[in-house]
Each structure stands twice: as structure tokens, then as C-alpha cells.
Amino acid sequence: MLALIAPSTAMAACEPLRLPPAGSGRSEIVTAVLPAVVQVQARFGPDTNESFEEALGDAMRQTQASNTQSLGSGFIVSGEGLVVTNEHVVAQATQITVRLADGSIRGATLVGSDERTDIALLRMEALARCYPALTWGDSDNIRVGENITAVGSPFGLGGSVSAGIISGRGRTIGTGPYHDFLQIDAAINQGNSGGPLLDIGGRVVGINTAILAPAGGNIGIGFALPAAMAQRVIAELQTQGKVSRTQLGLSVESLTGDIAEALGLSSGNGVLVIGVGSGSPAERAGIRVSDVVLSVDGRAVNGLGGLSAEVATFGANRGVQFDVWRDGRLLALQLLPASKPDATDRAKELAGKAAPGSFLSISGLQLTGTTRGMNEVAGQSELAGGLIVVAVAPGSPGEARGMAVGDIIIAVAGRELISIQQFSEAVSAASKQGRRNLLITVLHGRNIVWMALPIDQ
């Protein structure tokens, strides 16, 4: 799998790109939207003095992501130069550049990003004119079988277009808890990540994010993040640079047809409540075990993915209405989500409770043994073992390698890592042999990365 500065007065009147009239052919639609679709290149490691033109280089030589750069797609969502792409395209980048459809290059800065929904918002350098921007469509009501168009830069080939249909809805991929993807059969490949998925009118109904590629290439199963979720995430990134998480104290599972029938429901839509935390927002709202959540704020919940998509953008202390089925009748309950501590802050808090002497420092990283609780707040698998990063010193060798709080070192020199003592012995052995680096395997978000970590004293 897979791979705010307020706008100036002069730009306040920027309007979205004008789309062709209803009923226009695909070629007219594509011609109209291409000026708002961009290439995104992220560079990693120490900054350089290269110009943006030099940094972007020849796209045909950048058909594969490497340890120093990543190539993806994006699209402009406001005339002021805001660009949407995937978070995994620009994660840990030290320099971001954008190539417009006319071939010109713009430097870009990261406004904010959200790993769990895989969305990043960029701001291109200002110009004394409006950028062409795409218009959002209705992803909630687009149906399986409807025609769609994917636009992006697969393998660095900018302005590429592929066509297909919506193959499915409510798909979950990977381990992310907040996914509710649209499945499409339009050909998307490496480099398409972050590009727009368009409806028949040229409006954005999704962000192309991933493909199912057991053989390493496209097989006609792609996934796009729905526009409805993307808009809510982008609005929060624009105002505060991150997405604040909330907690409900609610455990649910998929509703089978047999269980639905036993509860007196005519369909299997919704999710079954199997647990309610004591003193949680869900308990205070009156939700009970065996309730079936049918909709949230008027939006139907068709499965776990649908509820997860809603939870992803809940605001703390902003009431939401849960329509639940209980004892043969429909109830409307008001739930007030509670703030969830930031994963990084929570990981540091838990690390502070670790046993004295259980920490190890190397290359500006502070490490300690993992626990299920620390893994959860860091967004990692609760079963991952090894040493978890609880602090990264600014400007340190560890930071330069792209290490971040919440990363887990799961192996050293190719061997599974189970203790601090094992890690210390590996460092000592490498030092005695005169080596300046130690080979480690790191669980970084959804990716497993091999890297050489500098050995310091």
C-alpha cells in the first residue's frame, strides 16, 4: 500500500477557476482545471543554496522517491496560493517547491499537516495576481458507478490525466483510524499522491492518496480521501496549523445483517456500540452498550469508516448530535467531545513516569523502552517493541536524519531490538570497531525506514 497570514486586499476578490458549463466533455473540463494542478517536490536533509529551478531539476530523473527527495501532486484551493497535497509527500521536508502548469517554479511553506488523514496545506510565495483555484464538489452524494477523472504527476509526468468510475465507498486502508476512502479504478501511480479527483463537472470530490499494488504497479484499485473530510481538515490547518483531536470514550464494531435484524433494524447501516468508558463524553451523553449509531449531525454512518471520518474532525466542547437506535426507537443524543492531549505532549508525559535510569541519549535523541500506552499516544501499533523517541534536540544529528518524537527504533544492525542494554552494547561494539554510524530500523508513522544513525559520545 502506497507507497495564516491574512490575504492582502488586492487578493481578497480572487475567485475560483471558471469551469465549463454543465454537459461539457472531459477534454474541456481537463483543459479548464489543469492550470490549478501542480507538482510538489519535497527535499530532505540539510538545506542547500540551490535555486528553486535547480532544486526541482529534471522531473524525468525523479521518478522514484529517495532518501533526499519526494515527488507528488497537489492542487490550488485559493487564489492566495494555498495548495493541498498529501502529508506523506512533504513529511519532514526541509525545502518544498511547487511547479505550476505553465512550468514556473514557486517556493512553498508548510501551513500545517495532519498525518492521520494524510493531508498537508502549503502556501506558495505571493504574487501580485490571483492563482487559479479549483472548486470543491459533493463527495457525500457521489455514487458508486459515477464517472471521475484523476489529475496529477505520476512518475514526474506533470499534467497527466486518467479516467474511471467510483468503484466503492467507505474503504479503510492501512492502519489509520480515520480513513473513509473512495475506491476508484482510474489509473494512479507513484507521484499522483495529493492530486485532485474530479467529478463530471470538474469539481474536486477527493484527494488521490494510495493504490493497492501487490506487484508494485497499478492494478486498477486506487483510493481517494473524500472532499467532505478534506475540507474540514484544511479549514482547521489554515487557522491553527494542526488538527486538534477529541475523545469520546466509545467502542464500536461493524453491524452485521443478523445483528441488525435482532435489534429490529431493516438494514445493516450504522455501527454497534460495544463499550462506553466510565465518566466519558459518551456516557454523559447517555449512549449505552448495544445502541446502534445511525448518523452524526445528520450524516449517515454506514460503517466504521464513516464514524471514524466524523470523529477525525470533531471539535472539543462543540456539541454533536448522535442519532441512535435503542429498543426499537430512534433517539437523538447530544454529545460533547473532550480534548485529547497532543500525542507528542502525551508521550513526553508518559516518559516522565518511566523508571529512573531508563533513558538513553544518542545523537540528540532521548530514548526509552516502549509501552502500549506510549505507542497509542504516539499513533503507533500497540504491539511495536523497541525504543521510542521521547525528545529530539533541535539541530541535532538525529533531527537531521528526520527522526521525530514518537518514532520507534525496532531493530539495530538487523536484529530485533528488545532492550536499552542491547542498544547500548551495539553502540559500544560499533565504536570499538571505529564506525561512525549505527544501522537502525525505525517505525516512522506508517513507514519502516532503515537509516544510519551517527554515533556520538
Side-chain angles (χ1 to χ4, degrees):
M1 193 78 63
L2 309 181
L4 270 169
I5 302 172
S8 67
T9 303
M11 291 185 175
C14 288
E15 296 181 355
L17 182 149
R18 181 172 296 179
L19 296 172
S24 297
R26 194 189 306 272
S27 60
E28 288 81 11
I29 295 293
V30 169
T31 300
V33 303
L34 277 179
V37 181
V38 303
Q39 267 187 19
V40 178
Q41 185 190 36
R43 293 177 65 84
F44 311 99
D47 196 7
T48 70
N49 292 320
E50 293 178 306
S51 68
F52 290 130
E53 289 282 0
E54 292 169 333
L56 195 62
D58 181 3
M60 293 303 295
R61 291 186 288 104
Q62 300 162 357
T63 58
Q64 299 292 331
S66 69
N67 292 331
T68 59
Q69 62 188 17
S70 173
L71 189 66
S73 304
F75 57 98
I76 303 170
V77 292
S78 82
E80 293 77 38
L82 293 179
V83 171
V84 172
T85 187
N86 281 144
E87 185 272 345
H88 73 260
V89 173
V90 297
Q92 307 295 320
T94 55
Q95 184 184 61
I96 303 172
T97 56
V98 172
R99 181 191 287 273
L100 301 178
D102 63 6
S104 60
I105 307 298
R106 298 287 180 269
T109 57
L110 182 66
V111 175
S113 63
D114 181 52
E115 183 177 6
R116 295 202 173 189
T117 53
D118 202 8
I119 293 176
L121 184 64
L122 313 176
R123 180 182 292 280
M124 289 187 290
E125 56 186 344
L127 292 178
R129 62 176 178 83
C130 292
Y131 287 100
L134 295 185
T135 301
W136 293 104
D138 185 0
S139 62
D140 286 339
N141 292 311
I142 194 167
R143 297 175 298 175
V144 173
E146 289 195 37
N147 290 323
I148 46 84
T149 303
V151 188
S153 302
F155 302 107
L157 301 172
S160 294
V161 177
S162 58
I165 62 170
I166 298 290
S167 304
R169 296 186 57 98
R171 304 303 196 204
T172 298
I173 63 175
T175 58
Y178 298 116
H179 291 170
D180 183 30
F181 284 90
L182 301 173
Q183 180 186 333
I184 61 175
D185 70 349
I188 57 175
N189 291 281
Q190 182 176 330
N192 272 116
S193 293
L197 183 72
L198 309 173
D199 64 14
I200 58 174
R203 296 171 293 269
V204 180
V205 291
I207 301 174
N208 301 318
T209 298
I211 59 173
L212 186 63
N218 181 276
I219 60 172
I221 300 179
F223 302 95
L225 193 74
M229 177 193 283
Q231 286 178 270
R232 299 198 296 270
V233 171
I234 290 165
E236 197 160 352
L237 293 178
Q238 189 172 357
T239 56
Q240 60 185 39
K242 64 178 182 178
V243 175
S244 300
R245 300 297 178 199
T246 57
Q247 50 193 0
L248 309 181
L250 190 65
S251 298
V252 297
E253 68 177 25
S254 298
L255 185 67
T256 65
D258 289 343
I259 293 177
E261 191 275 335
L263 295 173
L265 285 166
S266 59
S267 75
N269 292 334
V271 293
L272 178 66
V273 177
I274 60 173
V276 178
S278 177
S280 68
E283 184 183 62
R284 291 193 294 271
I287 296 178
R288 302 176 186 174
V289 171
S290 79
D291 284 350
V292 176
V293 180
L294 298 176
S295 65
V296 176
D297 273 351
R299 290 184 290 271
V301 173
N302 297 318
L304 295 178
L307 181 60
S308 296
E310 297 298 331
V311 172
T313 52
F314 279 169
N317 302 315
R318 182 186 68 81
V320 292
Q321 179 174 309
F322 274 58
D323 292 326
V324 304
W325 181 263
R326 178 190 302 165
D327 298 330
R329 60 196 181 102
L330 188 64
L331 302 175
L333 304 177
Q334 290 294 317
L335 186 146
L336 198 65
S339 296
K340 186 176 184 178
D342 178 82
T344 297
D345 294 339
R346 182 61 177 152
K348 291 180 180 179
E349 178 183 340
L350 290 174
K353 299 177 181 178
S358 65
F359 296 99
L360 179 149
S361 295
I362 183 172
S363 297
L365 308 177
Q366 188 173 28
L367 310 171
T368 191
T370 59
T371 66
R372 286 176 177 248
M374 295 181 75
N375 289 0
E376 178 185 4
V377 298
Q380 303 280 24
S381 167
E382 65 177 16
L383 300 179
L387 301 184
I388 189 168
V389 179
V390 297
V392 180
S396 64
E399 183 186 55
R401 288 291 195 273
M403 296 288 285
V405 169
D407 286 354
I408 299 177
I409 301 176
I410 58 175
V412 57
R415 296 183 179 180
E416 181 182 4
L417 183 58
I418 60 175
S419 69
I420 285 183
Q421 180 179 354
Q422 177 191 352
F423 188 86
S424 297
E425 290 173 352
V427 171
S428 297
S431 296
K432 289 179 180 178
Q433 294 172 12
R435 297 176 183 168
R436 294 174 296 177
N437 295 279
L438 184 68
L439 180 64
I440 61 174
T441 309
V442 181
L443 190 60
H444 178 76
R446 294 179 294 273
N447 302 315
I448 294 179
V449 180
W450 289 63
M451 70 171 64
L453 184 69
I455 298 173
D456 58 19
Q457 302 302 318

